[in-house]
Amino acid sequence: MAAGASVGLALLGDHVVVGPSTRILFPFIKLGLVPDWGLLRSLPQRIGVGRARHLVFAGAAIDGAEAVNIGLADELVDDDAVMTVALERAEAFASLPREATARIKARFRAFGRLDFAQDLDAERVDQVACLTHGEFAEGLSAQLGRRAPRFIDGTPGDATE
């Protein structure tokens, strides 16, 4: 069972893995409280205001399948594989290029706060920064060399196999 702060912490992650027996609960209203740990921001960003409102005011538990169905979680796996798969996904995210990843995450966080012209300007700034960063050189080299890129601290990785 994940309730309250543990759900808030999970929603700060890039990828949420659950099992069929997972239970997610938003008990705040039944306790006379408001959601904390950033849930009133992260929950609507993840599943939309309408669904977030429903979950918060219903205070009912949902299972892993429903969490994936509404977008609260990203992946449903067997209960005994949740931790293994979550660690595999974390390792995959950790291997991504840091500069591009940070910029993409910042843009997702800013979604809906910029008008279209501002979005395009931010895109231009981000793309120039990424194109001139060492991670792009590694990514392009890996693509041309038909190998997996190795991004290390924002610098090109060792190209030898």
Side-chain angles (χ1 to χ4, degrees), residues 97-104 106-107 120-138 151 154-155:
R98 292 180 184 177
E99 183 70 18
T101 299
R103 289 176 178 277
I104 290 167
R107 296 287 301 288
L120 290 177
D121 189 52
E123 180 181 291
R124 179 189 56 76
V125 168
D126 289 343
Q127 202 68 315
V128 168
C130 289
L131 282 166
T132 59
H133 197 277
E135 291 173 336
F136 172 67
E138 168 58 12
F151 300 108
T155 58

Side-chain angles (χ1 to χ4, degrees), residues 76-123:
L76 181 68
V77 300
D78 290 336
D79 287 324
D80 59 353
V82 170
M83 185 57 72
T84 300
V85 172
L87 290 172
E88 288 171 359
R89 299 306 177 261
E91 288 175 5
F93 273 96
S95 72
L96 296 174
R98 292 180 184 177
E99 183 70 18
T101 299
R103 289 176 178 277
I104 290 167
K105 289 171 75 168
R107 296 287 301 288
F108 277 133
R109 283 190 305 273
F111 181 77
R113 290 188 235 148
L114 303 176
D115 65 29
F116 189 60
Q118 291 170 317
D119 260 339
L120 290 177
D121 189 52
E123 180 181 291

Side-chain angles (χ1 to χ4, degrees), residues 1-8 10 18 21-27 60-62 72:
M1 166 96 47
S6 62
V7 179
V18 295
S21 69
T22 296
R23 297 292 175 263
I24 301 173
L25 176 65
F26 299 90
I62 62 170
L72 185 61

